[in-house]
């Protein structure tokens, strides 16, 4: 694997999940593989799990790391070609990406969607500019439209908790006070598409995800109906896609509570974190024994470790 940008870069998802679970039980098995190599991590947005789990994964592989929070530590970057840089942008991505490539063997990038310009967001301006100008492999730590390391950790977590061969997995929209990106939901959908699980999306009208991504997936506008017989409830907020970046619903009618979880087949509760308690999910549900959120966060390490390992060795 050269770059890891989205779930489609995974050739065999089942084998990848198995290899990640192997690493979880043998995390020091490849502790020299990254020796004398450097992972550079560039953040344009905040991070807790991605930053620390990727650092831990690098350390387990013997990789050295460099981190930069570009928003407050880097020069303001220009991405446009042929621009006259007389404004507030001090450095062009062309130089920045090439320079960083001389210091690092892999560049990992976090750059969220702006949610103000759909064309720019879908064009993945930041990560694609790094792919274009960097001379080393690029790892996606959540871009405008994809968060594949999260989706891989989620697939590992489902695999660890599966009770039937074809569980019912529900991705449920839930409320949030801020407009949030579609990246986590998109990658989760892409991951579910390559499994044999029964998968449905529950969201209010007006909140359908990009139809190119959800093609062939059942979307239900009635949350309670969708929850019936579910084995996994994956909660996530996203802003409207059609009415791009807008919040259309801000009451608590889609909050995930005990009453709704009781409609399921004793389902496990999942969320990528950070989560707004009592807005997305009630305390009782997230604090219950059925909640997998901490296990999901733990699996971020092994998702990052297997991907970094494959990038270092350039194996499929
Ligand atoms: C991000 C998102 O894409 O939804 C990162 C998730 C891994 N989440 C947020 O930005 C939450 C911010 C908030 O204020 O709750």
């Amino acid at each position: 694997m050269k770059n890891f940008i989205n779930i489609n870069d995974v050739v065999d998802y089942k084998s990848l999940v198995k290899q990640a679970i192997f690493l979880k039980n043998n995390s020091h098995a490849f502790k020299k593989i990254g020796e004398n190599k450097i992972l550079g991590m560039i953040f344009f947005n905040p991070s807790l799990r991605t930053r620390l789990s990727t650092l831990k994964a690098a350390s387990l592989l013997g990789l050295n790391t460099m981190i930069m929070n570009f928003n407050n530590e880097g020069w303001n970057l220009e991405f446009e070609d042929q621009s006259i840089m007389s404004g507030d942008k001090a450095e062009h991505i062309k130089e920045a990406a090439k320079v960083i490539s001389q210091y690092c063997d892999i560049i990992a990038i976090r750059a969220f969607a702006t949610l103000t310009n759909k064309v720019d967001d879908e064009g993945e301006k930041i990560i694609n500019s790094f792919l274009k100008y960097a001379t080393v492999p690029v790892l996606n730590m959540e871009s405008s439209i994809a968060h594949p390391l999260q989706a891989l950790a989620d697939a590992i977590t489902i695999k660890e908790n599966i009770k039937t061969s074809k569980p019912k997995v529900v991705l449920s929209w839930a409320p949030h006070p801020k407009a949030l990106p579609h990246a986590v939901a998109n990658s989760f959908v892409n991951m579910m598409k390559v499994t044999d699980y029964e998968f449905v999306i529950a969201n209010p009208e007006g909140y359908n995800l990009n139809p190119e991504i959800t093609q062939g997936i059942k979307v239900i506008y009635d949350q309670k109906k969708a929850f019936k017989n579910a084995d996994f409830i994956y909660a996530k907020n996203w802003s409207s896609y059609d009415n791009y970046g807008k919040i259309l619903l801000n009451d608590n009618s889609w909050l995930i509570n005990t009453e709704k979880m009781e409609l399921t087949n004793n389902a496990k509760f999942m969320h990528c974190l950070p989560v707004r308690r009592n807005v997305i999910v009630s305390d009782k549900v997230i604090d219950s024994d059925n909640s997998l959120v901490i296990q999901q966060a733990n699996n971020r390490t092994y998702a990052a470790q297997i991907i970094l390992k494959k990038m270092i060795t350039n194996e499929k």
Side-chain angles (χ1 to χ4, degrees):
M1 184 181 294
K2 185 168 185 271
N3 304 301
F4 185 60
I5 306 299
N6 63 48
I7 289 300
N8 306 336
D9 293 323
V10 173
V11 180
D12 179 349
Y13 123 87
K14 273 191 188 157
S15 150
L16 193 71
V17 167
K18 264 194 206 142
Q19 292 172 58
I21 293 173
F22 171 84
L23 285 179
K24 191 170 180 178
N25 298 314
N26 302 273
S27 56
H28 293 277
F30 300 97
K31 62 183 177 201
K32 288 191 186 293
I33 221 167
E35 245 178 16
N36 305 322
K37 288 200 168 17
I38 299 176
L39 168 70
M41 297 165 69
I42 308 283
F43 287 90
F44 290 89
N45 311 94
S47 171
L48 187 164
R49 280 146 291 277
T50 297
R51 180 167 172 153
L52 298 186
S53 66
T54 308
L55 280 173
K56 178 174 174 183
S59 143
L60 290 169
L61 295 169
L63 259 178
N64 298 294
T65 48
M66 285 180 183
I67 294 198
M68 206 166 156
N69 294 317
F70 235 83
N71 272 359
N72 48 25
E73 295 168 357
W75 301 107
N76 202 356
L77 290 183
E78 176 62 68
F79 290 87
E80 301 308 322
D81 259 348
Q82 296 174 358
S83 70
I84 298 169
M85 291 171 57
S86 56
D88 62 344
K89 310 250 171 83
E91 173 148 32
H92 203 281
I93 181 67
K94 285 187 185 179
E95 285 79 48
K98 285 180 189 154
V99 168
I100 297 167
S101 301
Q102 297 180 111
Y103 306 146
C104 307
D105 300 278
I106 297 175
I107 305 178
I109 319 272
R110 164 161 284 197
F112 286 177
T114 61
L115 297 176
T116 53
N117 185 327
K118 194 177 194 168
V119 175
D120 274 5
D121 284 350
E122 300 216 308
E124 291 278 35
K125 190 176 69 181
I126 298 186
I127 207 149
N128 278 344
S129 300
F130 273 96
L131 277 169
K132 187 168 174 190
Y133 298 116
T135 54
V136 297
V138 176
L139 170 62
N140 184 351
M141 298 193 294
E142 186 172 343
S143 62
S144 295
I145 59 168
H147 195 2
L149 286 173
Q150 180 65 49
L152 180 54
D154 298 335
I156 297 166
T157 312
I158 292 177
K159 172 84 181 154
E160 288 175 330
N161 286 281
I162 216 160
K163 289 201 201 96
T164 57
S165 61
K166 199 174 167 62
K168 178 177 175 185
V169 180
V170 180
L171 168 63
S172 178
W173 183 92
H176 200 284
K178 274 171 48 185
L180 294 189
H182 308 94
V184 170
N186 287 343
S187 289
F188 188 71
V189 172
N190 280 331
M191 182 52 100
M192 287 302 106
K193 285 205 295 206
V194 296
T195 68
D196 328 312
Y197 308 154
E198 180 185 347
F199 178 56
V200 299
I201 304 174
N203 60 247
E205 288 190 50
Y207 276 101
N208 282 5
L209 292 163
N210 180 348
E212 279 177 29
I213 293 174
T214 58
Q215 201 183 3
I217 306 285
K218 196 163 164 189
V219 178
I220 301 179
Y221 298 127
D222 179 338
Q223 193 185 31
K224 288 187 177 166
K225 197 169 148 202
F227 275 37
K228 293 221 172 84
N229 295 319
D231 298 294
F232 293 90
I233 300 294
Y234 193 103
K236 181 73 185 84
N237 170 269
W238 56 86
S239 53
S240 175
Y241 178 76
D242 289 337
N243 204 336
Y244 195 64
K246 295 284 180 293
I247 296 176
L248 312 177
L249 187 76
N250 54 10
D251 61 32
N252 66 2
S253 53
W254 279 68
L255 180 147
I256 295 169
N257 56 23
T258 310
E259 181 207 335
K260 289 177 191 169
M261 290 301 283
E262 275 166 5
L263 301 169
T264 69
N265 182 26
N266 195 24
K268 301 289 187 190
F269 174 81
M270 300 178 73
H271 189 279
C272 62
L273 304 181
V275 72
R276 303 286 189 122
R277 281 173 174 256
N278 303 310
V279 176
I280 293 247
V281 57
S282 70
D283 281 335
K284 219 167 162 188
V285 171
I286 193 171
D287 291 331
S288 75
D289 289 343
N290 281 10
S291 172
L292 298 179
V293 297
I294 305 300
Q295 188 175 338
Q296 279 174 270
N298 189 31
N299 285 334
R300 290 295 309 275
T301 298
Y302 309 103
Q305 195 183 356
I306 189 64
I307 294 299
L308 285 170
K309 175 177 175 280
K310 284 183 182 293
M311 288 176 77
I312 293 166
T313 57
N314 201 10
E315 59 185 292
K316 283 212 169 141

